[in-house]
Amino acid sequence: MLRTHHRLLTAATASLLVLGLAACGGTTKDSSSSNGGPAAQGGASADPNAKSKEGLKIAFLPKQLNNPYSDVETAGGKVAVGEVKGEYKLVGPNDASASSQVSYINTLIQQQQDVIVVAANDPNAVCPSLNQARQAGIKVVSFDSDASKECRDAFINQATTQGIGESLVKMANELAGGEGEIAILSATPNATNQNAWIEVMKKELAKPEYSKLKLVKTAYGNDDDQKSFQEAQGLLQSYPNLKVIVSPTTVGIAAASRYVSSSNYKGKVAITGLGLPNQMREYVKDGTVKKFALWNPADIGYLAAYAGAALASGQITGKQGEKFTAGKLGEYTIGADGEIVLGPPTEFTAQNIDQFDF
Amino acid sequence: MTAALATKAKRPVSLSGLVKTRELGIILALAALVVVTAVSNPRFLSGQSVRDILLNTAILAVMAAGQAVVVITRNIDLSVGSVLGLSAFTVATMMSANPGLPMIVAILAALAVGAVAGLVNGVLVRFGRVPALVVTLGTLYMFRGITYSWAGGQQVNADELPRHFLQFANASILGVPWLVLIAVVVVGGVSLIMRNYRVGRELYAIGSSPPAAELAGIRVARNLLGAFIVSGALAGLAGVLFAARFGTVDAAAGNGYELNVVAAVVVGGVAVFGGSGTVWGAGLGALLLTVIGSALAVLDINQFWQQAIVGALILLAICADRLVAVRIARSLRKRDSHV
Amino acid sequence: MSEVRRRLASWDSIIILLTVLVLVTASFGVPNFGTGRNFTFLVLDLLPILLVALPMTFIIVTGEIDLSVASTLGLTSSLMGWFWNNGLSIELIIPLCVLVGAVLGAFNGFLVTGLGLPSLAVTIGTLALYRGLAFVVLGDGAVADFPWNYTGWVTGTIGGGAVPNVLILIVALALIFGVVLHATPFGRSLFAIGANAQAAHFSGIRVARTKFWLYVVSGAVAGLVGVLWTLRYSSARADNGSGLELAVVAAVLLGGVSIFGGRGSLPGVLAGVVLLAALQNALRLQDVSGQALNIVTGALLVLSVLLPNIATSIRASWHRRRLRQAAAH
């Protein structure tokens, strides 16, 4: 009897404590206010002639370590941090998960960094901690994969989202011979950049000139080599008439190419997307991949570091129209919503692939 | 009523007969699944598809064979995923630094790494008298930590590994890929030893009743160490197969594999309380789990059902084992009562 | 018996002392460790492990185990996201998720006590089943737009100071579990069950019913932690909490609870949790990868069982030597 009472008491107390959280009335998805909480202090005006600060602690937090693409990006960032005489730090999770990034952001706040350069695994999940960072006086620059615009000061976009999406569809169309089934092998389902590009692709595919192309599936390889490999396998098992696999992630395109080049599908299914020349070289040479695109990731990290340094020195505040100089890349102007675009993508084929080393 | 009971008691309960039923059950389930899927999509039985399934099973089957040996002795080895990661990373680093090394060296190195890991487990379990669950939980953490500190956030990419190493995964002899051959040889070999050789009988005895085995003069220490070394070595072997198949190896390779391995073993008929089940049953369990995954993809069912199905199968397998154990106990008691 | 208790008490004291030592050293030795904000981060980091360790201690003391807690966390997190996307109010979702956790725990309890299946195997099965269901519910994606006054409460502090809001919850639950385990007949019955279930049964303790309810509580707490985890990271995902069960078991065993059941103390477990979390936090501030910390966790775990065994066998051999000497005279 007493035993049961103790059980119920514990259960009841626990439930009461939880219900104590609940306010009166229902807070639902539609009625709740925007995420991220109170935004960081804005309102300071830019001073383009402010002296660039030295010794700035600039920390890079890519989507994950163990990713050759991020490695090139952050290497570029390291060079830039050296040029502005700052202190470079690289941290990141081994899995492309947002929760892990939150832990790292917390640690960086504790370590009193000046700038955090982050590629978000989930635009909303990292928001509360990024805003905490901004409240603590840290400048936040997102690159590669954006966070929600309320929680960062500037965003370095590798190329215009529209441009990337268009170029992906164009290449797929060419390789499919103008008609047939295509599939997308993406990274993680929440990645901002992936979803933005896929959105554009879907809009492009709805246009009359691409009416004979059909997108049958979007698979997710989570930027994990093994999973991407298995997803590529699955796509070809489920859709025997697939003509093209488009993979807008360097891990996905590398894994898919590796699978196809050692299977019976070589030559029958085309692979394209965004890839690193060094990883893709052998598949271009052996004919598995005819054409793919990218830009120089090192430049993104480089530009991001300079933008962060400019923010921390007060030369810019992230408003549209402000200008700053980014070392050897020259002068950049901030676009709408704090977006800074690097430049147009490059297409790689067997003809030009040997000119690049990254 | 009494007559029925009497008839039941008269029929001798053959342990090997019941065991045969268990493996037969898996084979039937496998056959049914393959038929259903093939009817819905004939491509499922195409050369490429079968090849993919067998390749995917190979790594799991090798690990399941080792795990089965340990579980039969009434222990468990949760560190196999971490051992795979450590071995895969060791071999990959070694091969990318010395591209000229032949494949056999890589395989031997992997076996050695795994065997050492297994020895550590065995010593702690037997001489430290620490329960296998605790030891292998601890070594799961330790080996994974060692791999991470060594890797330092880096990974070995497929393009850094020598061609012949990567080709090994795809090369075949008479149309059967090397990976699959190795898996078949391992599972078959270990099964044979467990079934026909004295050491096998001794391991089953240890699992059935450790104190009785001790009293019967069985060298429990030597056998237990051997079992853990085998499990570790096979996990190491799985590591080199992993590196060859997937090419890109980072410190997280094999993370979480221990669950799949234990699932394969349990579904394959090896009871967690030791003393029963067969190694080739575990191999079948590995095959069944892999086929389920492929079938889901081919039938275009939400892939996410796979893990839930695996969980349900484990629970079913445990219930079945329990039912068998209860029936055996009951009929043994009845047989005694007639004496 | 008293020697056993003495040995146990000494391991507890060692762990508590070690924890205090680590905290003090880190506060002075590691820059930025001893700040208010870091204290909040530390508490938030150890919240899931500590809360789940409370019922886990009870279960391990009775000689069973529950490896499915992390998957229960993941499934309730997924359901939370799914309910949220389907328009339920957060006030309804939270208690609902705790209830779901309790039901999942009850299923475990039924399999272990009703069907008499071994808890290790059963909870490995439900570990896979619940995690699989979590993926079925929410897939690979995440739901991240929870109302910020709730996520803010979980990550926030009282009046903006140094005491995290969730600390109230932690202290309350730890006190309740501690008192029940060490100062009530129910708690003593758990030790009895762990020491010898049959004897406990014959002395009138309802073994099966007790174990069943322990699993229900374990599930409910895991459900609660699922909610808190989701709100803390503002992200409902099917893979939330993956691997947590191992960290919890490691912390519980490190705290001196015997895996065979029948021995253990809650203060030891609390010390074990704090020790591991503080070590991880301090090392992370020093830019040591959290994964490298696993070596220490694994080693401590093994040592927590190995050292007492070594101590016993040394004592036993001394005892034998003394007996032989006495017999020789």
Side-chain angles (χ1 to χ4, degrees):
Chain A
M1 210 37 60
L2 208 59
R3 231 179 296 131
T4 330
H5 278 170
H6 273 282
R7 291 288 99 219
L8 286 175
L9 199 62
T10 317
T13 320
S15 324
L16 275 172
L17 280 164
V18 167
L19 284 171
L21 276 173
C24 303
T27 317
T28 62
K29 195 182 176 79
D30 305 310
S31 71
S32 80
S33 47
S34 77
N35 59 300
Q41 78 289 49
S45 55
D47 178 12
N49 299 319
K51 193 159 152 329
S52 298
K53 290 203 189 133
E54 296 199 347
L56 290 169
K57 298 209 275 195
I58 303 181
F60 277 80
L61 175 57
K63 281 201 209 163
Q64 64 183 130
L65 301 178
N66 293 345
N67 185 320
Y69 178 80
S70 316
D71 289 341
V72 181
E73 279 182 320
T74 52
K78 188 167 181 190
V79 167
V81 173
E83 287 176 16
V84 300
K85 300 205 192 40
E87 249 180 69
Y88 169 83
K89 187 195 279 280
L90 172 64
V91 292
N94 280 308
D95 55 339
S97 97
S99 324
S100 316
Q101 282 190 319
V102 168
S103 300
Y104 282 104
I105 296 172
N106 288 343
T107 308
L108 290 172
I109 298 176
Q110 271 310 103
Q111 292 171 324
Q112 295 173 348
Q113 299 294 310
D114 295 301
V115 180
I116 295 180
V117 183
V118 60
N121 282 318
D122 181 311
N124 295 318
V126 295
C127 228
S129 42
L130 282 180
N131 271 334
Q132 255 189 321
R134 291 165 87 205
Q135 275 169 342
I138 303 176
K139 297 294 175 199
V140 173
V141 176
S142 59
F143 73 129
D144 184 9
S145 185
D146 201 5
S148 245
K149 57 182 194 284
E150 301 95 45
C151 20
R152 46 86 174 148
D153 296 307
F155 169 48
I156 312 292
N157 202 348
Q158 31 250 343
T160 61
T161 310
Q162 183 70 23
I164 297 173
E166 281 175 10
S167 136
L168 287 169
V169 173
K170 194 157 90 54
M171 285 191 298
N173 190 38
E174 255 179 66
L175 293 165
E179 64 176 312
E181 294 182 348
I182 66 172
I184 297 179
L185 176 59
S186 179
T188 53
N190 275 55
T192 333
N193 51 1
Q194 296 287 315
N195 289 336
W197 299 332
I198 294 176
E199 262 311 299
V200 171
M201 284 179 72
K202 289 192 177 149
K203 282 208 201 79
E204 284 291 299
L205 286 168
K207 288 192 183 154
E209 61 255 40
Y210 297 120
S211 60
K212 295 217 200 91
L213 275 184
K214 189 163 148 243
L215 173 63
V216 290
K217 181 152 178 180
T218 306
Y220 295 100
N222 290 348
D223 262 350
D224 175 83
D225 187 272
Q226 202 199 335
K227 179 130 203 286
S228 305
F229 191 93
Q230 285 167 336
E231 286 295 320
Q233 231 176 35
L235 278 174
L236 288 166
Q237 270 183 324
S238 315
Y239 300 99
N241 297 324
L242 205 56
K243 283 254 186 103
V244 185
I245 298 183
V246 184
S247 191
T249 152
T250 58
V251 175
I253 195 177
S257 309
R258 208 167 69 239
Y259 172 66
V260 169
S261 95
S262 67
S263 75
N264 302 346
Y265 299 112
K266 182 168 163 186
K268 301 199 190 112
V269 177
I271 313 274
T272 185
L274 303 172
L276 283 166
N278 282 357
Q279 277 192 317
M280 302 302 296
R281 188 163 289 118
E282 75 168 278
Y283 305 114
V284 169
K285 298 255 161 101
D286 81 0
T288 314
V289 178
K290 300 217 173 29
K291 187 187 279 220
F292 65 100
L294 200 68
W295 41 79
N296 190 340
D299 287 344
I300 304 173
Y302 188 88
L303 182 54
Y306 266 99
L311 280 165
S313 309
Q315 291 161 353
I316 56 173
T317 59
K319 287 208 209 28
Q320 188 169 3
E322 288 173 354
K323 296 189 209 284
F324 69 102
T325 318
K328 65 176 198 285
L329 291 177
E331 198 186 61
Y332 276 86
T333 311
I334 302 182
D337 289 331
E339 186 176 326
I340 305 169
V341 179
L342 181 67
T346 314
E347 263 181 22
F348 301 104
T349 61
Q351 277 79 46
N352 64 0
I353 195 163
D354 283 323
Q355 298 165 18
F356 303 93
D357 182 19
F358 58 83
Chain B
M1 180 74 165
T2 338
L5 277 172
T7 349
K8 257 204 199 138
K10 274 213 200 89
R11 248 210 339 233
V13 176
S14 129
L15 195 56
S16 64
L18 281 157
V19 161
K20 279 206 196 82
T21 321
R22 187 50 187 282
E23 274 78 18
L24 195 63
I26 304 176
I27 295 177
L28 285 174
L30 207 67
L33 183 60
V34 167
V35 165
V36 165
T37 317
V39 160
S40 148
N41 183 346
R43 229 182 179 223
F44 189 62
L45 288 178
S46 74
Q48 179 66 30
S49 169
V50 170
R51 199 163 159 273
D52 284 336
I53 291 176
L54 289 177
L55 281 171
N56 287 342
T57 314
I59 296 174
L60 187 61
V62 165
M63 290 171 80
Q67 181 78 225
V69 173
V70 168
V71 176
I72 283 173
T73 65
R74 205 189 271 190
N75 287 302
I76 197 168
D77 186 355
L78 291 176
S79 66
V80 286
S82 305
V83 173
L84 185 155
L86 184 57
S87 143
F89 196 77
T90 309
V91 169
T93 312
M94 193 181 76
M95 293 306 275
S96 66
N98 310 301
L101 287 175
M103 192 65 202
I104 191 74
V105 173
I107 295 183
L108 286 174
L111 283 169
V113 167
V116 167
L119 184 64
V120 169
N121 281 333
V123 164
L124 285 170
V125 170
R126 178 56 190 174
F127 297 111
R129 272 175 295 132
V130 184
L133 175 65
V134 177
V135 167
T136 56
L137 193 59
T139 50
L140 179 156
Y141 274 114
M142 282 197 278
F143 296 152
R144 185 61 68 189
I146 293 173
T147 315
Y148 268 106
S149 332
W150 182 11
Q154 294 309 302
Q155 64 178 15
V156 179
N157 289 318
D159 47 313
E160 294 166 27
L161 289 168
R163 301 252 65 217
H164 70 274
F165 185 74
L166 294 171
Q167 293 288 37
F168 181 79
N170 302 313
S172 39
I173 232 182
L174 299 172
V176 182
W178 272 114
L179 243 66
V180 176
L181 263 173
I182 292 179
V184 168
V185 164
V186 164
V187 173
V190 178
S191 295
L192 216 68
I193 296 176
M194 290 296 282
R195 220 171 96 94
N196 297 343
Y197 285 78
R198 185 191 171 121
V199 63
R201 290 284 105 211
E202 289 184 350
L203 288 171
Y204 275 102
I206 296 172
S208 295
S209 172
E214 190 111 39
L215 288 171
I218 295 176
R219 306 260 282 277
V220 177
R222 211 175 54 164
N223 282 322
L224 271 186
L225 278 176
F228 276 100
I229 290 177
V230 164
S231 173
L234 287 179
L237 179 63
V240 66
L241 298 180
F242 179 98
R245 170 128 171 94
F246 295 111
T248 305
V249 179
D250 68 358
N255 222 346
Y257 269 38
E258 52 277 348
L259 176 64
N260 292 339
V261 175
V262 171
V265 162
V266 168
V267 167
V270 182
V272 178
F273 32 84
S276 70
T278 63
V279 173
W280 63 277
L284 277 179
L287 183 61
L288 180 62
L289 291 181
T290 317
V291 168
I292 291 176
S294 290
L296 287 177
V298 167
L299 292 172
D300 211 16
I301 297 177
N302 187 350
Q303 283 268 60
F304 293 122
W305 276 104
Q306 175 166 17
Q307 201 173 5
I309 293 176
V310 168
L313 281 176
I314 296 178
L315 292 175
L316 272 168
I318 303 169
C319 285
D321 284 334
R322 174 79 180 157
L323 222 74
V324 166
V326 163
R327 275 225 204 98
I328 292 177
R330 212 178 284 160
S331 56
L332 281 174
R333 249 181 284 137
K334 266 189 221 110
R335 251 204 293 171
D336 286 339
S337 74
H338 277 251
V339 166
Chain C
M1 198 55 208
S2 66
E3 189 190 296
V4 169
R5 211 174 286 141
R6 213 188 330 127
R7 204 182 341 121
L8 176 65
S10 70
W11 180 264
D12 279 7
S13 319
I14 293 173
I15 284 295
I16 295 175
L17 254 151
L18 200 61
T19 309
V20 170
L21 199 70
V22 164
L23 285 172
V24 166
T25 319
S27 302
F28 288 112
V30 175
N32 299 316
F33 182 83
T35 66
R37 190 188 280 125
N38 196 49
F39 178 66
T40 310
F41 288 151
L42 182 60
V43 170
L44 285 172
D45 278 343
L46 59 76
L47 172 73
I49 302 182
L50 197 149
L51 288 186
V52 176
L54 297 173
M56 181 72 83
T57 306
F58 281 28
I59 290 180
I60 294 184
V61 162
T62 61
E64 304 288 351
I65 196 163
D66 184 358
L67 291 177
S68 66
V69 284
S71 303
T72 307
L73 191 163
L75 182 49
T76 51
S77 180
S78 291
L79 282 171
M80 193 169 167
W82 190 77
F83 287 142
W84 181 248
N85 274 343
N86 285 302
L88 267 71
S89 78
I90 193 107
E91 288 78 14
L92 182 57
I93 293 178
I94 293 177
L96 193 56
C97 285
V98 176
L99 193 63
V100 167
V103 167
L104 296 173
F107 183 60
N108 274 332
F110 164 68
L111 288 173
V112 173
T113 62
L115 295 184
L117 304 175
S119 59
L120 179 62
V122 162
T123 55
I124 288 181
T126 48
L127 180 156
L129 178 64
Y130 295 163
R131 184 66 71 184
L133 289 176
F135 276 100
V136 170
V137 166
L138 206 58
D140 253 339
V143 178
D145 53 351
F146 293 99
W148 65 263
N149 51 341
Y150 280 89
T151 62
W153 187 88
V154 175
T155 56
T157 57
I158 300 177
V163 180
N165 292 329
V166 293
L167 195 58
I168 318 166
L169 192 62
I170 293 178
V171 168
L173 283 175
L175 271 173
I176 294 174
F177 277 85
V179 164
V180 167
L181 185 63
H182 292 296
T184 63
F186 177 76
R188 278 195 287 284
S189 76
L190 296 179
F191 286 104
I193 296 174
N196 188 329
Q198 244 187 345
H201 182 70
F202 286 136
S203 66
I205 298 173
R206 314 263 269 285
V207 175
R209 226 170 78 141
T210 308
K211 286 187 182 178
F212 175 80
W213 282 108
L214 287 184
Y215 276 100
V216 172
V217 170
S218 175
V221 169
L224 173 64
V225 174
V227 167
L228 291 171
W229 182 297
T230 311
L231 289 175
R232 188 232 163 148
Y233 290 106
S234 188
S235 175
R237 290 181 61 103
D239 65 0
N240 273 345
S242 264
L244 186 75
E245 71 277 351
L246 297 181
V248 171
V249 172
V252 169
L253 293 178
L254 189 61
V257 176
S258 164
I259 188 76
F260 299 111
R263 282 188 358 225
S265 84
L266 210 68
V269 170
L270 294 175
V273 174
V274 172
L275 176 64
L276 287 178
L279 268 175
Q280 190 164 40
N281 188 304
L283 286 174
R284 249 214 315 258
L285 280 173
Q286 296 283 64
D287 286 330
V288 174
S289 147
Q291 300 290 353
L293 175 67
N294 286 342
I295 305 178
V296 176
T297 310
L300 282 175
L301 178 60
V302 174
L303 285 174
S304 73
V305 182
L306 187 63
L307 288 181
N309 280 348
I310 294 180
T312 326
S313 57
I314 293 180
R315 251 188 280 249
S317 69
W318 280 344
H319 188 70
R320 272 199 301 267
R321 200 184 314 150
R322 255 185 285 130
L323 280 177
R324 251 181 278 130
Q325 286 174 340
H329 287 101

